PDB file of all heavy atoms in Angstrom:
ATOM      1  N   TYR A   1       0.829  -1.152  -0.019  1.00 98.00           N
ATOM      2  CA  TYR A   1      -0.043  -0.020   0.006  1.00 98.00           C
ATOM      3  C   TYR A   1       0.901   1.262  -0.006  1.00 98.00           C
ATOM      4  O   TYR A   1       1.759   1.393   0.853  1.00 98.00           O
ATOM      5  CB  TYR A   1      -0.956   0.004   1.188  1.00 98.00           C
ATOM      6  CG  TYR A   1      -2.332  -0.436   0.889  1.00 98.00           C
ATOM      7  CD1 TYR A   1      -2.599  -1.819   0.689  1.00 98.00           C
ATOM      8  CD2 TYR A   1      -3.367   0.431   0.712  1.00 98.00           C
ATOM      9  CE1 TYR A   1      -3.858  -2.211   0.342  1.00 98.00           C
ATOM     10  CE2 TYR A   1      -4.662   0.075   0.374  1.00 98.00           C
ATOM     11  CZ  TYR A   1      -4.902  -1.313   0.181  1.00 98.00           C
ATOM     12  OH  TYR A   1      -6.146  -1.739  -0.149  1.00 98.00           O
ATOM     13  N   LEU A   2       0.677   2.106  -0.993  1.00 98.00           N
ATOM     14  CA  LEU A   2       1.418   3.372  -1.159  1.00 98.00           C
ATOM     15  C   LEU A   2       0.418   4.497  -1.390  1.00 98.00           C
ATOM     16  O   LEU A   2      -0.808   4.246  -1.579  1.00 98.00           O
ATOM     17  CB  LEU A   2       2.399   3.217  -2.363  1.00 98.00           C
ATOM     18  CG  LEU A   2       3.360   2.098  -2.240  1.00 98.00           C
ATOM     19  CD1 LEU A   2       4.065   1.944  -3.618  1.00 98.00           C
ATOM     20  CD2 LEU A   2       4.391   2.371  -1.146  1.00 98.00           C
ATOM     21  N   ARG A   3       0.896   5.757  -1.387  1.00 98.00           N
ATOM     22  CA  ARG A   3       0.057   6.863  -1.780  1.00 98.00           C
ATOM     23  C   ARG A   3       0.755   7.736  -2.784  1.00 98.00           C
ATOM     24  O   ARG A   3       1.952   7.883  -2.741  1.00 98.00           O
ATOM     25  CB  ARG A   3      -0.231   7.720  -0.521  1.00 98.00           C
ATOM     26  CG  ARG A   3      -1.091   7.005   0.519  1.00 98.00           C
ATOM     27  CD  ARG A   3      -1.477   7.985   1.678  1.00 98.00           C
ATOM     28  NE  ARG A   3      -2.460   8.977   1.231  1.00 98.00           N
ATOM     29  CZ  ARG A   3      -3.106   9.832   2.067  1.00 98.00           C
ATOM     30  NH1 ARG A   3      -2.808   9.806   3.356  1.00 98.00           N
ATOM     31  NH2 ARG A   3      -3.953  10.719   1.568  1.00 98.00           N
ATOM     32  N   PRO A   4      -0.015   8.302  -3.729  1.00 98.00           N
ATOM     33  CA  PRO A   4       0.600   9.168  -4.722  1.00 98.00           C
ATOM     34  C   PRO A   4       0.892  10.549  -4.165  1.00 98.00           C
ATOM     35  O   PRO A   4       1.577  11.388  -4.833  1.00 98.00           O
ATOM     36  CB  PRO A   4      -0.443   9.265  -5.833  1.00 98.00           C
ATOM     37  CG  PRO A   4      -1.754   8.952  -5.197  1.00 98.00           C
ATOM     38  CD  PRO A   4      -1.397   8.004  -4.018  1.00 98.00           C
ATOM     39  N   VAL A   5       0.403  10.842  -2.941  1.00 98.00           N
ATOM     40  CA  VAL A   5       0.677  12.080  -2.260  1.00 98.00           C
ATOM     41  C   VAL A   5       1.308  11.740  -0.926  1.00 98.00           C
ATOM     42  O   VAL A   5       1.292  10.600  -0.455  1.00 98.00           O
ATOM     43  CB  VAL A   5      -0.622  12.946  -2.014  1.00 98.00           C
ATOM     44  CG1 VAL A   5      -1.245  13.372  -3.352  1.00 98.00           C
ATOM     45  CG2 VAL A   5      -1.643  12.122  -1.211  1.00 98.00           C
ATOM     46  N   PHE A   6       1.829  12.770  -0.247  1.00 98.00           N
ATOM     47  CA  PHE A   6       2.474  12.463   1.035  1.00 98.00           C
ATOM     48  C   PHE A   6       1.348  12.371   2.171  1.00 98.00           C
ATOM     49  O   PHE A   6       0.354  13.105   2.057  1.00 98.00           O
ATOM     50  CB  PHE A   6       3.461  13.602   1.434  1.00 98.00           C
ATOM     51  CG  PHE A   6       4.621  13.593   0.506  1.00 98.00           C
ATOM     52  CD1 PHE A   6       4.629  14.427  -0.598  1.00 98.00           C
ATOM     53  CD2 PHE A   6       5.669  12.712   0.690  1.00 98.00           C
ATOM     54  CE1 PHE A   6       5.779  14.421  -1.491  1.00 98.00           C
ATOM     55  CE2 PHE A   6       6.723  12.661  -0.171  1.00 98.00           C
ATOM     56  CZ  PHE A   6       6.814  13.545  -1.253  1.00 98.00           C
ATOM     57  N   SER A   7       1.534  11.562   3.095  1.00 97.00           N
ATOM     58  CA  SER A   7       0.518  11.281   4.117  1.00 97.00           C
ATOM     59  C   SER A   7       0.201  12.470   4.928  1.00 97.00           C
ATOM     60  O   SER A   7      -0.906  12.568   5.435  1.00 97.00           O
ATOM     61  CB  SER A   7       0.940  10.101   5.006  1.00 97.00           C
ATOM     62  OG  SER A   7       2.142  10.395   5.697  1.00 97.00           O
ATOM     63  N   ASP A   8       1.182  13.363   5.101  1.00 97.00           N
ATOM     64  CA  ASP A   8       0.887  14.558   5.964  1.00 97.00           C
ATOM     65  C   ASP A   8       0.810  15.855   5.106  1.00 97.00           C
ATOM     66  O   ASP A   8       0.676  16.906   5.631  1.00 97.00           O
ATOM     67  CB  ASP A   8       1.998  14.745   6.994  1.00 97.00           C
ATOM     68  CG  ASP A   8       3.414  14.738   6.392  1.00 97.00           C
ATOM     69  OD1 ASP A   8       3.552  14.315   5.214  1.00 97.00           O
ATOM     70  OD2 ASP A   8       4.359  15.144   7.089  1.00 97.00           O
ATOM     71  N   GLN A   9       0.879  15.706   3.779  1.00 97.00           N
ATOM     72  CA  GLN A   9       0.707  16.919   2.872  1.00 97.00           C
ATOM     73  C   GLN A   9      -0.038  16.355   1.614  1.00 97.00           C
ATOM     74  O   GLN A   9       0.704  16.065   0.601  1.00 97.00           O
ATOM     75  CB  GLN A   9       2.065  17.487   2.562  1.00 97.00           C
ATOM     76  CG  GLN A   9       2.760  18.169   3.635  1.00 97.00           C
ATOM     77  CD  GLN A   9       2.123  19.519   3.986  1.00 97.00           C
ATOM     78  OE1 GLN A   9       1.303  20.026   3.312  1.00 97.00           O
ATOM     79  NE2 GLN A   9       2.511  20.048   5.144  1.00 97.00           N
ATOM     80  N   ASN A  10      -1.308  16.194   1.692  1.00 97.00           N
ATOM     81  CA  ASN A  10      -2.013  15.521   0.665  1.00 97.00           C
ATOM     82  C   ASN A  10      -2.274  16.341  -0.680  1.00 97.00           C
ATOM     83  O   ASN A  10      -2.884  15.875  -1.539  1.00 97.00           O
ATOM     84  CB  ASN A  10      -3.388  14.992   1.159  1.00 97.00           C
ATOM     85  CG  ASN A  10      -4.345  16.066   1.429  1.00 97.00           C
ATOM     86  OD1 ASN A  10      -4.002  17.230   1.504  1.00 97.00           O
ATOM     87  ND2 ASN A  10      -5.637  15.691   1.563  1.00 97.00           N
ATOM     88  N   LYS A  11      -1.637  17.494  -0.719  1.00 96.00           N
ATOM     89  CA  LYS A  11      -1.761  18.324  -1.961  1.00 96.00           C
ATOM     90  C   LYS A  11      -0.424  18.330  -2.646  1.00 96.00           C
ATOM     91  O   LYS A  11      -0.285  18.932  -3.714  1.00 96.00           O
ATOM     92  CB  LYS A  11      -2.193  19.770  -1.652  1.00 96.00           C
ATOM     93  CG  LYS A  11      -3.551  19.838  -0.964  1.00 96.00           C
ATOM     94  CD  LYS A  11      -4.675  19.093  -1.649  1.00 96.00           C
ATOM     95  CE  LYS A  11      -6.008  19.112  -0.893  1.00 96.00           C
ATOM     96  NZ  LYS A  11      -6.962  18.201  -1.454  1.00 96.00           N
ATOM     97  N   ILE A  12       0.589  17.603  -2.121  1.00 98.00           N
ATOM     98  CA  ILE A  12       1.882  17.518  -2.724  1.00 98.00           C
ATOM     99  C   ILE A  12       2.029  16.069  -3.338  1.00 98.00           C
ATOM    100  O   ILE A  12       2.021  15.098  -2.574  1.00 98.00           O
ATOM    101  CB  ILE A  12       2.975  17.810  -1.747  1.00 98.00           C
ATOM    102  CG1 ILE A  12       2.842  19.245  -1.145  1.00 98.00           C
ATOM    103  CG2 ILE A  12       4.389  17.701  -2.418  1.00 98.00           C
ATOM    104  CD1 ILE A  12       3.866  19.567  -0.108  1.00 98.00           C
ATOM    105  N   PHE A  13       2.237  15.978  -4.609  1.00 98.00           N
ATOM    106  CA  PHE A  13       2.372  14.718  -5.213  1.00 98.00           C
ATOM    107  C   PHE A  13       3.841  14.225  -5.196  1.00 98.00           C
ATOM    108  O   PHE A  13       4.748  15.022  -5.099  1.00 98.00           O
ATOM    109  CB  PHE A  13       1.971  14.783  -6.775  1.00 98.00           C
ATOM    110  CG  PHE A  13       0.507  14.871  -6.904  1.00 98.00           C
ATOM    111  CD1 PHE A  13      -0.093  16.183  -7.267  1.00 98.00           C
ATOM    112  CD2 PHE A  13      -0.355  13.841  -6.808  1.00 98.00           C
ATOM    113  CE1 PHE A  13      -1.411  16.279  -7.489  1.00 98.00           C
ATOM    114  CE2 PHE A  13      -1.752  13.982  -6.970  1.00 98.00           C
ATOM    115  CZ  PHE A  13      -2.234  15.196  -7.301  1.00 98.00           C
ATOM    116  N   LEU A  14       3.978  12.890  -5.181  1.00 98.00           N
ATOM    117  CA  LEU A  14       5.324  12.333  -5.251  1.00 98.00           C
ATOM    118  C   LEU A  14       5.977  12.640  -6.544  1.00 98.00           C
ATOM    119  O   LEU A  14       5.368  12.591  -7.624  1.00 98.00           O
ATOM    120  CB  LEU A  14       5.247  10.794  -5.068  1.00 98.00           C
ATOM    121  CG  LEU A  14       5.239  10.212  -3.677  1.00 98.00           C
ATOM    122  CD1 LEU A  14       4.093  10.733  -2.781  1.00 98.00           C
ATOM    123  CD2 LEU A  14       5.257   8.737  -3.657  1.00 98.00           C
ATOM    124  N   THR A  15       7.265  12.941  -6.488  1.00 98.00           N
ATOM    125  CA  THR A  15       8.038  13.197  -7.688  1.00 98.00           C
ATOM    126  C   THR A  15       8.478  11.853  -8.259  1.00 98.00           C
ATOM    127  O   THR A  15       8.278  10.807  -7.651  1.00 98.00           O
ATOM    128  CB  THR A  15       9.307  14.057  -7.396  1.00 98.00           C
ATOM    129  OG1 THR A  15      10.172  13.277  -6.563  1.00 98.00           O
ATOM    130  CG2 THR A  15       8.957  15.327  -6.720  1.00 98.00           C
ATOM    131  N   GLU A  16       9.064  11.849  -9.458  1.00 98.00           N
ATOM    132  CA  GLU A  16       9.531  10.605 -10.023  1.00 98.00           C
ATOM    133  C   GLU A  16      10.580   9.948  -9.077  1.00 98.00           C
ATOM    134  O   GLU A  16      10.544   8.702  -8.964  1.00 98.00           O
ATOM    135  CB  GLU A  16      10.169  10.864 -11.417  1.00 98.00           C
ATOM    136  CG  GLU A  16      10.575   9.521 -12.017  1.00 98.00           C
ATOM    137  CD  GLU A  16      11.061   9.660 -13.524  1.00 98.00           C
ATOM    138  OE1 GLU A  16      10.338  10.311 -14.210  1.00 98.00           O
ATOM    139  OE2 GLU A  16      12.112   9.109 -13.824  1.00 98.00           O
ATOM    140  N   ALA A  17      11.434  10.714  -8.464  1.00 98.00           N
ATOM    141  CA  ALA A  17      12.376  10.140  -7.500  1.00 98.00           C
ATOM    142  C   ALA A  17      11.658   9.425  -6.353  1.00 98.00           C
ATOM    143  O   ALA A  17      12.060   8.366  -5.894  1.00 98.00           O
ATOM    144  CB  ALA A  17      13.318  11.222  -6.926  1.00 98.00           C
ATOM    145  N   ASP A  18      10.580  10.040  -5.863  1.00 98.00           N
ATOM    146  CA  ASP A  18       9.775   9.422  -4.807  1.00 98.00           C
ATOM    147  C   ASP A  18       9.069   8.162  -5.331  1.00 98.00           C
ATOM    148  O   ASP A  18       8.950   7.171  -4.568  1.00 98.00           O
ATOM    149  CB  ASP A  18       8.705  10.380  -4.284  1.00 98.00           C
ATOM    150  CG  ASP A  18       9.296  11.668  -3.743  1.00 98.00           C
ATOM    151  OD1 ASP A  18      10.296  11.571  -2.979  1.00 98.00           O
ATOM    152  OD2 ASP A  18       8.794  12.715  -4.022  1.00 98.00           O
ATOM    153  N   LEU A  19       8.677   8.124  -6.545  1.00 98.00           N
ATOM    154  CA  LEU A  19       8.052   6.924  -7.161  1.00 98.00           C
ATOM    155  C   LEU A  19       9.059   5.838  -7.241  1.00 98.00           C
ATOM    156  O   LEU A  19       8.711   4.640  -7.007  1.00 98.00           O
ATOM    157  CB  LEU A  19       7.447   7.250  -8.514  1.00 98.00           C
ATOM    158  CG  LEU A  19       6.301   8.286  -8.494  1.00 98.00           C
ATOM    159  CD1 LEU A  19       5.848   8.624  -9.980  1.00 98.00           C
ATOM    160  CD2 LEU A  19       5.103   7.796  -7.731  1.00 98.00           C
ATOM    161  N   VAL A  20      10.304   6.147  -7.561  1.00 98.00           N
ATOM    162  CA  VAL A  20      11.394   5.210  -7.577  1.00 98.00           C
ATOM    163  C   VAL A  20      11.508   4.569  -6.185  1.00 98.00           C
ATOM    164  O   VAL A  20      11.678   3.363  -6.013  1.00 98.00           O
ATOM    165  CB  VAL A  20      12.653   5.742  -8.062  1.00 98.00           C
ATOM    166  CG1 VAL A  20      13.819   4.767  -7.890  1.00 98.00           C
ATOM    167  CG2 VAL A  20      12.572   6.185  -9.553  1.00 98.00           C
ATOM    168  N   HIS A  21      11.484   5.410  -5.199  1.00 98.00           N
ATOM    169  CA  HIS A  21      11.708   4.959  -3.810  1.00 98.00           C
ATOM    170  C   HIS A  21      10.564   4.129  -3.270  1.00 98.00           C
ATOM    171  O   HIS A  21      10.700   3.431  -2.256  1.00 98.00           O
ATOM    172  CB  HIS A  21      11.913   6.164  -2.847  1.00 98.00           C
ATOM    173  CG  HIS A  21      13.177   6.889  -3.157  1.00 98.00           C
ATOM    174  ND1 HIS A  21      13.369   8.253  -2.751  1.00 98.00           N
ATOM    175  CD2 HIS A  21      14.300   6.538  -3.871  1.00 98.00           C
ATOM    176  CE1 HIS A  21      14.546   8.640  -3.169  1.00 98.00           C
ATOM    177  NE2 HIS A  21      15.175   7.622  -3.801  1.00 98.00           N
ATOM    178  N   THR A  22       9.373   4.196  -3.921  1.00 98.00           N
ATOM    179  CA  THR A  22       8.224   3.491  -3.357  1.00 98.00           C
ATOM    180  C   THR A  22       7.814   2.354  -4.333  1.00 98.00           C
ATOM    181  O   THR A  22       8.045   1.248  -4.066  1.00 98.00           O
ATOM    182  CB  THR A  22       7.062   4.450  -3.209  1.00 98.00           C
ATOM    183  OG1 THR A  22       6.903   5.271  -4.419  1.00 98.00           O
ATOM    184  CG2 THR A  22       7.285   5.455  -2.045  1.00 98.00           C
ATOM    185  N   ILE A  23       7.262   2.721  -5.495  1.00 98.00           N
ATOM    186  CA  ILE A  23       6.874   1.733  -6.464  1.00 98.00           C
ATOM    187  C   ILE A  23       8.048   0.939  -6.957  1.00 98.00           C
ATOM    188  O   ILE A  23       8.046  -0.310  -7.095  1.00 98.00           O
ATOM    189  CB  ILE A  23       6.094   2.334  -7.667  1.00 98.00           C
ATOM    190  CG1 ILE A  23       4.788   3.047  -7.172  1.00 98.00           C
ATOM    191  CG2 ILE A  23       5.769   1.344  -8.728  1.00 98.00           C
ATOM    192  CD1 ILE A  23       4.048   3.854  -8.213  1.00 98.00           C
ATOM    193  N   GLY A  24       9.103   1.672  -7.229  1.00 98.00           N
ATOM    194  CA  GLY A  24      10.348   1.039  -7.750  1.00 98.00           C
ATOM    195  C   GLY A  24      10.951   0.012  -6.800  1.00 98.00           C
ATOM    196  O   GLY A  24      11.308  -1.090  -7.179  1.00 98.00           O
ATOM    197  N   GLU A  25      11.036   0.422  -5.535  1.00 98.00           N
ATOM    198  CA  GLU A  25      11.517  -0.532  -4.507  1.00 98.00           C
ATOM    199  C   GLU A  25      10.673  -1.773  -4.448  1.00 98.00           C
ATOM    200  O   GLU A  25      11.196  -2.913  -4.360  1.00 98.00           O
ATOM    201  CB  GLU A  25      11.593   0.150  -3.160  1.00 98.00           C
ATOM    202  CG  GLU A  25      12.796   1.070  -2.951  1.00 98.00           C
ATOM    203  CD  GLU A  25      14.124   0.322  -2.832  1.00 98.00           C
ATOM    204  OE1 GLU A  25      14.088  -0.841  -2.316  1.00 98.00           O
ATOM    205  OE2 GLU A  25      15.155   0.881  -3.236  1.00 98.00           O
ATOM    206  N   SER A  26       9.374  -1.561  -4.442  1.00 98.00           N
ATOM    207  CA  SER A  26       8.458  -2.703  -4.298  1.00 98.00           C
ATOM    208  C   SER A  26       8.564  -3.711  -5.404  1.00 98.00           C
ATOM    209  O   SER A  26       8.649  -4.949  -5.242  1.00 98.00           O
ATOM    210  CB  SER A  26       6.994  -2.243  -4.213  1.00 98.00           C
ATOM    211  OG  SER A  26       6.829  -1.253  -3.149  1.00 98.00           O
ATOM    212  N   ALA A  27       8.670  -3.152  -6.623  1.00 98.00           N
ATOM    213  CA  ALA A  27       8.842  -4.028  -7.845  1.00 98.00           C
ATOM    214  C   ALA A  27      10.131  -4.832  -7.805  1.00 98.00           C
ATOM    215  O   ALA A  27      10.194  -6.026  -8.064  1.00 98.00           O
ATOM    216  CB  ALA A  27       8.741  -3.242  -9.061  1.00 98.00           C
ATOM    217  N   ALA A  28      11.200  -4.109  -7.489  1.00 98.00           N
ATOM    218  CA  ALA A  28      12.568  -4.729  -7.551  1.00 98.00           C
ATOM    219  C   ALA A  28      12.753  -5.800  -6.512  1.00 98.00           C
ATOM    220  O   ALA A  28      13.547  -6.710  -6.658  1.00 98.00           O
ATOM    221  CB  ALA A  28      13.627  -3.666  -7.412  1.00 98.00           C
ATOM    222  N   LEU A  29      12.037  -5.684  -5.381  1.00 98.00           N
ATOM    223  CA  LEU A  29      12.175  -6.658  -4.290  1.00 98.00           C
ATOM    224  C   LEU A  29      11.285  -7.877  -4.431  1.00 98.00           C
ATOM    225  O   LEU A  29      11.319  -8.731  -3.572  1.00 98.00           O
ATOM    226  CB  LEU A  29      11.923  -5.974  -2.939  1.00 98.00           C
ATOM    227  CG  LEU A  29      13.031  -4.969  -2.494  1.00 98.00           C
ATOM    228  CD1 LEU A  29      12.505  -4.136  -1.343  1.00 98.00           C
ATOM    229  CD2 LEU A  29      14.284  -5.795  -2.052  1.00 98.00           C
ATOM    230  N   GLY A  30      10.465  -7.878  -5.445  1.00 97.00           N
ATOM    231  CA  GLY A  30       9.707  -9.076  -5.690  1.00 97.00           C
ATOM    232  C   GLY A  30       8.226  -9.000  -5.268  1.00 97.00           C
ATOM    233  O   GLY A  30       7.557 -10.078  -5.183  1.00 97.00           O
ATOM    234  N   ALA A  31       7.670  -7.837  -4.958  1.00 98.00           N
ATOM    235  CA  ALA A  31       6.263  -7.729  -4.608  1.00 98.00           C
ATOM    236  C   ALA A  31       5.478  -8.041  -5.883  1.00 98.00           C
ATOM    237  O   ALA A  31       5.878  -7.852  -6.981  1.00 98.00           O
ATOM    238  CB  ALA A  31       5.976  -6.330  -4.093  1.00 98.00           C
ATOM    239  N   SER A  32       4.241  -8.500  -5.645  1.00 98.00           N
ATOM    240  CA  SER A  32       3.307  -8.743  -6.750  1.00 98.00           C
ATOM    241  C   SER A  32       2.660  -7.533  -7.322  1.00 98.00           C
ATOM    242  O   SER A  32       2.202  -7.551  -8.475  1.00 98.00           O
ATOM    243  CB  SER A  32       2.234  -9.748  -6.287  1.00 98.00           C
ATOM    244  OG  SER A  32       2.749 -10.987  -5.847  1.00 98.00           O
ATOM    245  N   GLY A  33       2.675  -6.451  -6.532  1.00 98.00           N
ATOM    246  CA  GLY A  33       2.119  -5.239  -6.980  1.00 98.00           C
ATOM    247  C   GLY A  33       2.056  -4.145  -5.942  1.00 98.00           C
ATOM    248  O   GLY A  33       2.566  -4.357  -4.808  1.00 98.00           O
ATOM    249  N   ALA A  34       1.487  -3.061  -6.292  1.00 98.00           N
ATOM    250  CA  ALA A  34       1.306  -1.888  -5.388  1.00 98.00           C
ATOM    251  C   ALA A  34      -0.116  -1.412  -5.491  1.00 98.00           C
ATOM    252  O   ALA A  34      -0.720  -1.476  -6.534  1.00 98.00           O
ATOM    253  CB  ALA A  34       2.294  -0.772  -5.646  1.00 98.00           C
ATOM    254  N   VAL A  35      -0.688  -0.985  -4.353  1.00 98.00           N
ATOM    255  CA  VAL A  35      -1.969  -0.296  -4.347  1.00 98.00           C
ATOM    256  C   VAL A  35      -1.723   1.101  -3.952  1.00 98.00           C
ATOM    257  O   VAL A  35      -1.289   1.419  -2.920  1.00 98.00           O
ATOM    258  CB  VAL A  35      -2.905  -1.053  -3.254  1.00 98.00           C
ATOM    259  CG1 VAL A  35      -4.239  -0.330  -3.252  1.00 98.00           C
ATOM    260  CG2 VAL A  35      -3.042  -2.507  -3.632  1.00 98.00           C
ATOM    261  N   LEU A  36      -2.243   2.011  -4.865  1.00 98.00           N
ATOM    262  CA  LEU A  36      -2.097   3.452  -4.610  1.00 98.00           C
ATOM    263  C   LEU A  36      -3.463   3.887  -3.978  1.00 98.00           C
ATOM    264  O   LEU A  36      -4.441   4.077  -4.695  1.00 98.00           O
ATOM    265  CB  LEU A  36      -1.796   4.231  -5.858  1.00 98.00           C
ATOM    266  CG  LEU A  36      -0.454   3.877  -6.523  1.00 98.00           C
ATOM    267  CD1 LEU A  36      -0.135   5.025  -7.554  1.00 98.00           C
ATOM    268  CD2 LEU A  36       0.660   3.825  -5.523  1.00 98.00           C
ATOM    269  N   TRP A  37      -3.405   4.095  -2.667  1.00 98.00           N
ATOM    270  CA  TRP A  37      -4.632   4.391  -1.931  1.00 98.00           C
ATOM    271  C   TRP A  37      -4.760   5.928  -1.801  1.00 98.00           C
ATOM    272  O   TRP A  37      -3.798   6.619  -1.739  1.00 98.00           O
ATOM    273  CB  TRP A  37      -4.579   3.758  -0.558  1.00 98.00           C
ATOM    274  CG  TRP A  37      -5.774   4.027   0.324  1.00 98.00           C
ATOM    275  CD1 TRP A  37      -6.921   3.365   0.333  1.00 98.00           C
ATOM    276  CD2 TRP A  37      -5.885   5.090   1.319  1.00 98.00           C
ATOM    277  NE1 TRP A  37      -7.835   3.925   1.246  1.00 98.00           N
ATOM    278  CE2 TRP A  37      -7.178   4.999   1.838  1.00 98.00           C
ATOM    279  CE3 TRP A  37      -5.032   6.110   1.772  1.00 98.00           C
ATOM    280  CZ2 TRP A  37      -7.646   5.801   2.857  1.00 98.00           C
ATOM    281  CZ3 TRP A  37      -5.496   6.936   2.754  1.00 98.00           C
ATOM    282  CH2 TRP A  37      -6.817   6.825   3.288  1.00 98.00           C
ATOM    283  N   GLY A  38      -5.991   6.340  -1.624  1.00 97.00           N
ATOM    284  CA  GLY A  38      -6.278   7.763  -1.406  1.00 97.00           C
ATOM    285  C   GLY A  38      -7.502   7.943  -0.552  1.00 97.00           C
ATOM    286  O   GLY A  38      -8.412   7.137  -0.549  1.00 97.00           O
TER     287      GLY A  38
END
């Protein structure tokens, strides 16, 4: 479970670097997927 915005600043979107740190990490470590919750 991830979010496309920051949990304490919901009007600020994740940058591509942040997406690498979240979605990218999950994929590279062998997760089956990610859920972007809001």
